[in-house]
Amino acid sequence: MKLKVLIIVFSILAIACNHSDKERKSKEILTETPVNIQYATGFRVSLKEGYPFVEVPRPYQGAEEGFKYLLVPRGEEIPAHDRDVQIVEVPIKSIVCTSTTHIPLLDYINETQSLTGFTTTDYISSANMRSRIDSGYVTELGIDKEMNIERLLELDPEAVMAYTITGDYGQFRKMNQAGIPVLINAEYLERHPLGRAEWIKFMALFFNKTDMADSVFNAIESNYNTMRAKAAKADSMPTLYSGVVYGDTWYLPGGENNAAKLFADAGANYLWQDSTTGFLELSFESVYEKAHDADYWVGVASYNSLEEIKQADQRYSRFDAFKNGNVYSYNARIGATGGNEYLELGYLRPDLILADLIRIFHPELLPDNELYFYEKLN
């Protein structure tokens, strides 16, 4: 019931903000930056010539150069600028996105209708966006190097929101040469869950909806901090591990990963909390040595049952968490065409993830809550 109330609150908030958000008047010159960034470290906003100047200094891990955007009100004269600055005429009216994590950023600022293209539409779970896809308003373009650039150019979006993990900008250059700005979203590098959620402000900048984004984010932040305060009252701190084996390697979050922060804020002792990396690649034996008697195993990729896990690798059944049935996946909400809602909405709504984790580790603190993203495997 609480979840339904929260969703209704966000809907009312979105409608109210939509009416209060006004497009900038022509030739309006700003005297202060349009967003206040509290947690995100992956983008910054200043003013140049009175217009928002947006920088993404680290588009991927190890990047030496970033991306820069000058947001100029539509119809106004483009000021002189450096060659490495992309000009974006705002507010944009259409956009192509390349990650499911971008979809709720549009939904929550009432810009669902602005999406015209996506890489693989079956991965999208959002009911509103699925309705748009089913009505034929979103073109599937293909993923990464397989993206159909000719089809994208035919769509002629006013911007493409993309991400990169390698620094291969080949496709991006083709889009730029066609006059399409490529907006790099590096939210996946954020260490704080609220930092990742705060990228809604990045999306909102290009639609002139920063007031709405602020309101949405403030509500998420407030709910997150309320949940964290509840977890701080827990009398115990159960241990946990995460991830699964692919090939010969166990992949799991490092201590610098935002998942580790969520585990800590939920009042649990993640066994790799002190590692200094974002991701870890370990042997099965090293994970077993450290976690064989841990209380919980949270985040088991696409496995849907204990038997399925055991069939994949008999050694998994030797862990105490497996024997005690304390194994949880984040696959409770699968969209109409197979997309995972956790991997779409979850990064904008860490407050919902945190509530789930507290319900798992300390059910006495949230006795009336039901799990939203997570489910216990049988």
Side-chain angles (χ1 to χ4, degrees), residues 246-272:
Y246 292 97
D248 296 325
T249 303
W250 193 308
Y251 295 89
L252 62 165
E256 298 296 322
N257 191 292
N258 61 81
K261 175 65 173 170
L262 279 160
F263 293 146
D265 286 348
N269 176 17
Y270 179 52
L271 294 176
W272 282 270

Side-chain angles (χ1 to χ4, degrees), residues 26 29 36 42 81 151 154 184 203 217 267-268 290 316 323 335 363:
S26 180
I29 300 298
N36 174 32
H81 57 278
R151 186 173 298 170
E154 289 174 359
I184 296 297
M203 178 69 88
F217 178 78
K290 193 168 186 173
Y316 286 137
K323 296 174 184 175

Side-chain angles (χ1 to χ4, degrees), residues 125-157:
S125 301
S126 157
N128 288 339
M129 200 62 84
R130 284 240 56 89
S131 176
R132 183 169 171 76
I133 293 167
D134 294 342
S135 298
Y137 293 123
V138 181
T139 299
E140 182 157 306
L141 296 168
I143 192 168
D144 296 333
K145 291 184 177 179
E146 302 301 319
M147 176 178 282
N148 189 326
I149 296 297
E150 291 184 359
R151 186 173 298 170
L152 183 144
L153 298 182
E154 289 174 359
L155 279 178
D156 194 25

